[in-house]
Every structure is written in structure tokens, then in C-alpha cells.
Amino acid sequence: MSGLLDLVKPRRSLSRRKRADRLFAACGAGAVFLVVLWIGFLFASLLVRALPAMTAYEIALTVQLEPEQIPPDNPRRGNWRGVLAQAVADLLNAEAQTLDAELIPSERVAAKLLLSKGAAAELRSLVIKNPSWLGKTGTESARTVFLPVSDSLDQYAKGLLVPSTQDGALVSPKTAELFDQLRQAGVVQRKFAWRFFVRADSRFPALAGIAGAVKGSLLAIMVCLFLSFPVGVAAAVWFEDFAPEGRRTDLFRINVYNLAAVPSIIFGLLGLAVFLNFFSMPRGAPLVGGMVLALMTLPTVIVVSASALRAVPSNLREAALALGASRQEAILHHVLPYALPGILTGTIIGLARAFGETAPLLLIGMTAFLTSVPEGISSPATALPAQIFLWADQPERGFAARASAAIVALLIVLTLVNLAAILLREKMEKGRSR
Amino acid sequence: MTQTQTTATTEGADNEICLEARNLSVRYGKVQAVKDISLVVRARQVTALIGPSGCGKSTFLRAINRMNDLIPTCVVQGSVRLGETEIYDPAVEVEALRARIGMVFQKPNPFATSIYNNVAYGPRVQGLVRHRRETDERVEKSLRRAGLWDEVKDRLKESGTSLSGGQQQRLCIARAIAADPEVVLMDEPCSALDPIATARIEDLMDELRARYTIVIVTHSMQQAARVSKRTAFFLLGELVEEGATGEVFTNPQDERTLNYVTGRMG
Ligand SMILES: Nc1ncnc2c1ncn2[C@@H]1O[C@H](COP(=O)(O)OP(=O)(O)OP(=O)(O)O)[C@@H](O)[C@H]1O
Ligand SMILES: [Mg+2]
């Protein structure tokens, strides 16, 4: 009877223990809350800062591509600045009745005030891509194109810059007013900044994009994957299945495992000394970057694969061997497939870490300023984190937003990669209910 | 059951020797697990190994198909002959040896592939089947012999791990005999199974012994009495007594055997 009483009416010490239990749970929940808050704050502030890079103000210009200005046989030699100056003057003339007369600048400076410094290069590359536009005269030669407005005006329109009359101010109130009126007339429009996603780096923020860096990163990661995955898995298999037991193997193992904790810049130094200086491989190429990242990722892949292999039930290996399979057959047919989800997850996480790595890439020259998307693994390239580093270091304000946007892009890639790792693992583990 | 017992004592009494261990010693590092055991196993009958836990039954069994080779610390001395072949001869290919000696483990351990592929695996790695039809035939034959065919013939593509424990163990038996071994070693094959599944496996052994030499390790004295023709009693790594099963259980020569089979020592 007293035993039952003990159960229904908890003793004092029990209620104290329960309180401690609740407190313990609350502490955990509080910690999670803090983490979520902190990450949310980080993401939100990044997004807010990245948003301006997602849109660009562009001006609709009708350019006259007359042969005397732009020789059709050699458009690179064309007088692009002259064409643009003319187009801006024409525009201001055409809009004369909607604009305040005293705001209109002189023809000489109008283009400079309104257009991005990269506008001429932009127009040139646009026309070179469409050669059929050339060699025409009169109204036939006219084309309407959208070109980015000047960096300062872009900033002003996004509320990041206040016009001022002071000397050396980036935007004067007069220019700002003119810009606003052009916007009202529909000549200047806010557009999605597609250039950001398809272009390589540029001296002009309006023209700079992450495509070059993303491709460089992907190429380097490919190289890293193709080197570190097979080598890492092979090494792990050796450690787990073939290595002779003994102190020498233990020494090997400890050394490899310790490599996983070596700071990545050391691998960069190694890459610089060995791949670039000794083997004279191309500087700043994704091939070298990938090799350095592979050195860095390899210990992780080995450690993770070895523990995945160790987790394979020994009776699986024994079953295959008892049927007369050789060691190699038992491993390839049964052990590795069973361990694969673990190995892949580990490899993907290792690659994700390599994807965000900057330090080793700095040393092997993958931080060069490059205005074209790299073609292959041996052409000079830069990587996404290196690009962020470069942009974050620029004085122009337009680059700050781009750096934030590139960080967001990097985080999105990493999140997707990790998500893929989780899904892959779940899917593969479903196939082996043991 | 009693009928089985009587037939077992009359038929195959002078079967030829299939396996012979001579002065076999096995140690793991410094632990001597099997001490100087000499034992003859005759063909096409069931030999049971009994003895308390840790007395070296599994070690002895695994010495027969050289599964102990996998354990780096394990050292084997003495000789084991399969027919005329010394299996510890350096010229012996251990893969080929294991194809001739199948093994069934304590815990059913089917591969995580289909039932079909589970059974076909041995013949495939041994190169015994060249095309689909041969494989089909072999899979069906082995599953029939293991008494599993009728239960799985419509679901050969399903995963081997989706079967019940007893079915999984019979699948493992089918897998072990698919490559046509001469010997089937069974290490406590029923210890993870319920009585009904156990009875099925025991019946199965009765059928299999017409074709295969079976060595079974068991902790169940009743099982040893039911299925085996000869019994060997192990104690602390030594072979205490070996003889006809009926003799060992009813009239053992050694006092230690008597104590064990009567339950005075366990
Ligand atoms: N891999 C191993 N490494 C070291 N010692 C081992 C190993 N396997 C077995 N042993 C030792 O060898 C001795 C015999 O073990 P074994 O597994 O052969 O016993 P068993 O008779 O099969 O016991 P059980 O009935 O419990 O299965 C035991 O003392 C055990 O501790
Ligand atoms: Mg055992």
C-alpha cells in the first residue's frame, strides 16, 4: 500500500528533480533560440545589404551606329564614347519639354554625368555580339539599348547616397533632380541585375558579376572531388582492411588524422612551393586550386570514410568472404556500398568546407582581377570566396553590395550542398534496413 | 523425431572421412582458444560441437574454412585436411577453399540486395554460372533445397532483409549451398530464432545431410541430440570426448561430459 502511495504522491526530492529537469530542458531551448536568433540576424543583415546588388538602374538610349563612327569591319576601333555622348544629347533634346531647362547639362559632360563609366565597353561588347546592327546608315543604324547609369546615381536612387553641393560630392542636387525627372519620364528604369549572375569581375560595379568566380570555384571543386574522393576512400579502405596491425600503421593513422586539423593556409603554402614553384604549374588555375583544396579535404575524407567503413557490420564482410569472395570483392560488392552514404556525406561536407576556403587560394594566385569567365581548369580563375574578399576590399560603394550578394550566393550554394548530403544519406540508408 | 534418431544411427555409419583436424591449436595473441584438437568428421552426416561458452567451438569451426585468417592476431598450428587437401598449405587458395566449405552464421546476415542476388552471389563470384538461365536454375535449386522456394518464388526481387528471421536464416543456408560446397558449417544457426523456425531448420538439416557434410555448433543439447549423428564435447579449448551422439548423451566416457550433458556444469 505504501509503495502505491509513493507512486501517486511524489516525494519532495522528486519534485525538485523534476524542476531541475525542466530547467535543463529550458536551458537547451534557450541555447537553440539564441543560435536561431543570431543566424537569423546574420542572414537578415546580409540580405538587406545584398539587395541593392539585385537591381540596377538603366537608361534607355537610342544609339546611331553609323559606319563613320563604328567601322563595321573593325568595331573595336569605333568611337564608342562619341556615339554615347551623341545618344545622351539626343535623349535630353527629345525629353526637353519634360525636363527643367536649367537642369540640362552641357553636351560635353552629360554622358559622363549620367552613364556608368563602363557603358562604352558594355555597348561595344553588345554590338560585337550583334554584328548585323552595323553597316547601316540613317534611321536604319539606330538601336535602342539599356545601359547602366553611373555608379553614384545608382547609389542615390537606392537611397545609399545623399546629394550634396560640397566640392568633390559624388552627386550634386542638380544631377539628382535631372535623374529623378528622367525616371519620371520612364527613360531610366529599375531592372533586375542579370549582369551580376552572368558576368565576371569588372572595374565598374554595375558590370561586375559572380559568374567567373562561381565557375572558377566549381572547376576547382571538381578537381578537388576527383582527386580527394578516390584517393581518400582508397586510403580509408587500406587503413581499415589491409593495413598491418602495429605501431607503424598507428603512426600513419595518427598523422593523417592530424592533417585534418592543419590550418588551410599551410596547404596554400605547400601548393605554392610544390605545384607552382617546383612543378611550374599555371598560376591561379582551378587545377592548382583544386589540388590544394584536395590536399586539405583528403584527411577529412579519409577520417570520415574510415569511420563509415568501421561502422559496417562485420557479419556483412564475413558473409561475403565465407562465400569465397576475395577481400577486394567483399569490399567492392558489399562493404563499400553499405558505407557509401556515410562516405558521401562526409565527402560533401569536406567539399563544402573547401568551397568556402579562401586562404590557400590567396597563396596560389586565385585572387587575380579577371574580367572574363574562366574557360577550363588550366586558365586563370578566381573563386567565389576570393571574389568576396576582393570586392569587400574595394573603395567603390557598389562593390560592398556585391560582396554581400556574393556571400548570400555562397551561403545558398553551401546550404543546397548540405541539404543534398542529408537527402542523399536518407535515401541511401532507406535501401539498407538491417 | 525418434524415427530420425534411429535412421541416423544405422545409415552412413562408415562414411568416408571428409574433414580431419590433427593436433590443431589456435590462439589469439596469448589466448589459447583451441588446444591440440584432433577430430575426424565423416562425410554426409551431421556432427555437433557442444560445450560451454568460450570453449573454442566457434574458433574450431572458423579454423575449418580459414575465417580466422581475417583476425590478425590469430595463429593456427597443426593440420586440417579436407579430403586429401591440407587446407593450411600455402598453395591453397582460400577463396576456392571457402567455396567448398559453406558457412551459416549465428545471426542471419543476408546481403541488402534482392533474394535472388543473395543466392546467386556465391556462384557468380566463383564463376560457376555463365548466363542468366544457369543462374536462375541454381537459385531455384538452392532455394528449393533450403525449403524456401515456395515462400519466396514470387518475390525474388524483394530485399533479402525483408524476410522474417527464420526465412532469412534459410536464405543464408540457400546462399551457402548455392556454390555446391561439400561441407556446411553452422555456428549456432538457430540461436536467434523462435522454436518453429528452429524446427524448420532442423528438418532442413535432416534433408541436407544426404548431400552435404554438416558441422553444427549448438548450445542446445536437445538440438544436438535431434539432428546430429556424432557429437564432440569441447571444454576450455580441448576436445574432451567425441562419439556417436546417443553414446555421448547417455553413456559418456568422461566425467566432465557427463556433468555437462546432465546440466551440472554450464
Ligand atoms: N577475435 C578474437 N580475438 C581474441 N580472442 C578471441 C577472439 N575470438 C574468440 N576469442 C577467445 O577465444 C576463446 C574461444 O572463443 P570462441 O568464440 O571460439 O568460443 P565459443 O565456444 O564459440 O563460445 P560461444 O559458445 O560463447 O560462442 C574465448 O576465450 C574468446 O575470448
Ligand atoms: Mg561461438
Side-chain angles (χ1 to χ4, degrees), chain A residues 2 37 44 69 97 117 120 130 151 153 157 162 187 211 240 262 264 269 276 301 311 317 335 339 348 350 396 406:
Chain A
S2 75
L37 200 71
Q69 296 280 21
Q97 58 272 57
K117 283 184 198 133
N130 298 286
D151 197 25
L153 281 175
V162 183
V187 177
E240 289 306 309
V262 169
S264 55
L269 283 170
L276 294 190
V301 176
R317 198 182 261 116
V335 177
I348 291 175
E396 285 96 332

CSV table of all heavy atoms in Angstrom, one decimal, chain A residues 2 37 44 69 97 117 120 130 151 153 157 162 187 211 240 262 264 269 276 301 311 317 335 339 348 350 396 406:
chain,number,residue,atom,x,y,z
A,2,SER,N,1.9,1.2,0.8
A,2,SER,CA,2.8,2.4,0.9
A,2,SER,C,3.5,2.6,-0.4
A,2,SER,O,3.8,3.7,-0.8
A,2,SER,CB,3.7,2.3,2.1
A,2,SER,OG,4.8,1.3,1.7
A,37,LEU,N,18.4,33.0,-33.4
A,37,LEU,CA,18.3,34.5,-33.4
A,37,LEU,C,19.6,35.1,-34.1
A,37,LEU,O,19.5,35.9,-35.0
A,37,LEU,CB,18.2,35.0,-32.0
A,37,LEU,CG,17.7,36.4,-31.8
A,37,LEU,CD1,16.2,36.5,-32.1
A,37,LEU,CD2,18.0,36.9,-30.4
A,44,ALA,N,19.6,38.1,-42.1
A,44,ALA,CA,18.8,39.3,-42.5
A,44,ALA,C,19.7,40.5,-42.8
A,44,ALA,O,19.5,41.2,-43.9
A,44,ALA,CB,17.9,39.7,-41.3
A,69,GLN,N,31.3,56.3,-87.6
A,69,GLN,CA,31.7,56.3,-86.1
A,69,GLN,C,32.2,54.9,-85.8
A,69,GLN,O,33.2,54.8,-85.1
A,69,GLN,CB,30.4,56.6,-85.3
A,69,GLN,CG,29.9,58.0,-85.4
A,69,GLN,CD,30.6,59.0,-84.6
A,69,GLN,OE1,31.8,58.8,-84.3
A,69,GLN,NE2,30.0,60.1,-84.4
A,97,GLN,N,11.0,69.0,-73.3
A,97,GLN,CA,9.8,69.6,-72.7
A,97,GLN,C,9.4,69.1,-71.4
A,97,GLN,O,8.8,69.8,-70.6
A,97,GLN,CB,8.6,69.6,-73.7
A,97,GLN,CG,8.2,68.2,-74.1
A,97,GLN,CD,9.0,67.8,-75.4
A,97,GLN,OE1,10.2,67.7,-75.3
A,97,GLN,NE2,8.2,67.5,-76.4
A,117,LYS,N,30.7,54.4,-66.0
A,117,LYS,CA,32.0,54.5,-66.8
A,117,LYS,C,32.2,53.3,-67.7
A,117,LYS,O,33.0,53.4,-68.6
A,117,LYS,CB,33.2,54.6,-65.8
A,117,LYS,CG,33.3,56.0,-65.2
A,117,LYS,CD,34.5,56.0,-64.3
A,117,LYS,CE,34.4,57.2,-63.3
A,117,LYS,NZ,34.8,56.8,-61.9
A,120,ALA,N,30.5,52.5,-72.2
A,120,ALA,CA,31.1,52.4,-73.6
A,120,ALA,C,31.5,50.9,-73.8
A,120,ALA,O,31.2,50.3,-74.9
A,120,ALA,CB,32.2,53.3,-73.7
A,130,ASN,N,26.3,41.4,-81.8
A,130,ASN,CA,25.2,41.5,-82.8
A,130,ASN,C,25.7,42.2,-84.0
A,130,ASN,O,25.4,43.4,-84.3
A,130,ASN,CB,24.0,42.2,-82.2
A,130,ASN,CG,23.4,41.5,-81.1
A,130,ASN,OD1,22.7,40.5,-81.2
A,130,ASN,ND2,23.6,42.0,-79.9
A,151,ASP,N,27.5,54.9,-61.3
A,151,ASP,CA,27.5,54.3,-60.0
A,151,ASP,C,26.9,55.1,-58.9
A,151,ASP,O,26.1,54.7,-58.1
A,151,ASP,CB,29.0,53.9,-59.7
A,151,ASP,CG,29.1,52.9,-58.6
A,151,ASP,OD1,28.1,52.1,-58.4
A,151,ASP,OD2,30.1,52.9,-57.9
A,153,LEU,N,24.8,57.6,-59.2
A,153,LEU,CA,23.3,57.8,-59.4
A,153,LEU,C,22.6,56.6,-59.0
A,153,LEU,O,21.5,56.6,-58.4
A,153,LEU,CB,23.0,58.1,-60.9
A,153,LEU,CG,23.3,59.6,-61.2
A,153,LEU,CD1,23.0,59.8,-62.7
A,153,LEU,CD2,22.4,60.5,-60.4
A,157,ALA,N,19.8,56.5,-56.2
A,157,ALA,CA,18.4,56.0,-56.4
A,157,ALA,C,18.0,55.0,-55.4
A,157,ALA,O,16.9,54.8,-55.1
A,157,ALA,CB,18.3,55.5,-57.9
A,162,VAL,N,23.5,60.6,-50.4
A,162,VAL,CA,22.7,61.8,-50.4
A,162,VAL,C,23.4,62.9,-51.2
A,162,VAL,O,24.6,63.1,-51.1
A,162,VAL,CB,22.6,62.3,-48.9
A,162,VAL,CG1,21.7,63.6,-48.8
A,162,VAL,CG2,22.0,61.2,-48.0
A,187,VAL,N,12.5,57.1,-68.9
A,187,VAL,CA,13.7,56.9,-69.6
A,187,VAL,C,14.7,56.0,-68.8
A,187,VAL,O,15.3,55.1,-69.3
A,187,VAL,CB,14.4,58.2,-70.0
A,187,VAL,CG1,15.7,57.9,-70.7
A,187,VAL,CG2,13.4,59.0,-70.9
A,211,ALA,N,29.7,35.3,-62.1
A,211,ALA,CA,29.8,34.1,-62.9
A,211,ALA,C,31.2,33.5,-63.0
A,211,ALA,O,31.4,32.3,-62.9
A,211,ALA,CB,29.2,34.3,-64.3
A,240,GLU,N,41.5,0.4,-43.0
A,240,GLU,CA,40.5,-0.4,-42.3
A,240,GLU,C,40.7,-1.9,-42.6
A,240,GLU,O,40.3,-2.7,-41.8
A,240,GLU,CB,39.1,0.0,-42.6
A,240,GLU,CG,38.7,1.4,-42.0
A,240,GLU,CD,39.0,1.4,-40.5
A,240,GLU,OE1,38.5,0.4,-39.8
A,240,GLU,OE2,39.7,2.3,-40.0
A,262,VAL,N,45.1,20.7,-39.6
A,262,VAL,CA,46.1,21.7,-40.1
A,262,VAL,C,45.4,22.9,-40.7
A,262,VAL,O,44.5,22.7,-41.5
A,262,VAL,CB,47.1,21.1,-41.1
A,262,VAL,CG1,48.0,22.1,-41.7
A,262,VAL,CG2,47.9,20.0,-40.4
A,264,SER,N,44.3,25.8,-43.1
A,264,SER,CA,44.3,25.6,-44.5
A,264,SER,C,45.4,26.5,-45.2
A,264,SER,O,45.8,26.1,-46.3
A,264,SER,CB,42.9,26.0,-45.1
A,264,SER,OG,42.6,27.3,-44.6
A,269,LEU,N,50.5,27.3,-48.7
A,269,LEU,CA,51.9,27.5,-48.8
A,269,LEU,C,52.6,26.3,-49.5
A,269,LEU,O,53.4,26.4,-50.4
A,269,LEU,CB,52.5,27.6,-47.4
A,269,LEU,CG,52.3,29.0,-46.8
A,269,LEU,CD1,52.7,28.9,-45.3
A,269,LEU,CD2,53.2,30.0,-47.5
A,276,LEU,N,53.4,25.3,-57.8
A,276,LEU,CA,53.7,26.4,-58.6
A,276,LEU,C,55.2,26.6,-58.8
A,276,LEU,O,55.7,26.6,-60.0
A,276,LEU,CB,53.2,27.7,-58.0
A,276,LEU,CG,51.7,27.8,-58.0
A,276,LEU,CD1,51.3,29.2,-57.6
A,276,LEU,CD2,51.1,27.5,-59.3
A,301,VAL,N,38.2,13.3,-45.8
A,301,VAL,CA,37.6,12.2,-46.5
A,301,VAL,C,38.1,10.9,-45.9
A,301,VAL,O,37.3,10.0,-45.7
A,301,VAL,CB,37.9,12.3,-48.0
A,301,VAL,CG1,37.3,11.1,-48.7
A,301,VAL,CG2,37.3,13.6,-48.6
A,311,ALA,N,31.9,1.3,-39.3
A,311,ALA,CA,30.5,1.1,-38.8
A,311,ALA,C,29.8,0.0,-39.6
A,311,ALA,O,28.7,-0.4,-39.3
A,311,ALA,CB,29.8,2.4,-39.0
A,317,ARG,N,30.8,-8.4,-44.1
A,317,ARG,CA,32.1,-8.8,-44.7
A,317,ARG,C,32.3,-10.3,-44.6
A,317,ARG,O,32.7,-10.9,-45.6
A,317,ARG,CB,33.2,-8.0,-43.9
A,317,ARG,CG,34.5,-7.9,-44.6
A,317,ARG,CD,35.5,-7.2,-43.7
A,317,ARG,NE,35.6,-5.8,-44.1
A,317,ARG,CZ,35.3,-4.8,-43.2
A,317,ARG,NH1,34.8,-5.0,-42.1
A,317,ARG,NH2,35.5,-3.6,-43.6
A,335,VAL,N,30.9,-4.1,-48.7
A,335,VAL,CA,31.3,-3.2,-47.6
A,335,VAL,C,31.2,-1.7,-48.1
A,335,VAL,O,30.5,-0.9,-47.4
A,335,VAL,CB,32.7,-3.5,-47.2
A,335,VAL,CG1,33.2,-2.5,-46.1
A,335,VAL,CG2,32.8,-4.9,-46.6
A,339,ALA,N,28.8,1.4,-46.8
A,339,ALA,CA,29.4,2.5,-46.1
A,339,ALA,C,29.2,3.8,-47.0
A,339,ALA,O,29.4,4.9,-46.5
A,339,ALA,CB,30.9,2.3,-45.9
A,348,ILE,N,30.9,15.3,-49.0
A,348,ILE,CA,30.2,16.5,-49.4
A,348,ILE,C,30.5,17.6,-48.4
A,348,ILE,O,30.7,18.8,-48.7
A,348,ILE,CB,28.7,16.2,-49.6
A,348,ILE,CG1,28.5,15.4,-50.8
A,348,ILE,CG2,28.0,17.5,-49.7
A,348,ILE,CD1,27.1,14.9,-51.0
A,350,GLY,N,33.1,17.8,-46.5
A,350,GLY,CA,34.5,18.3,-46.8
A,350,GLY,C,34.6,19.2,-47.9
A,350,GLY,O,35.3,20.2,-47.9
A,396,GLU,N,34.8,51.6,-54.0
A,396,GLU,CA,33.5,51.9,-54.6
A,396,GLU,C,32.4,51.3,-53.8
A,396,GLU,O,32.5,50.1,-53.4
A,396,GLU,CB,33.4,51.5,-56.0
A,396,GLU,CG,34.2,52.3,-57.0
A,396,GLU,CD,35.5,51.6,-57.3
A,396,GLU,OE1,36.0,50.9,-56.4
A,396,GLU,OE2,36.0,51.8,-58.4
A,406,ALA,N,27.4,38.2,-53.1
A,406,ALA,CA,28.2,37.0,-53.3
A,406,ALA,C,28.2,36.1,-52.1
A,406,ALA,O,28.2,34.9,-52.2
A,406,ALA,CB,29.6,37.4,-53.7
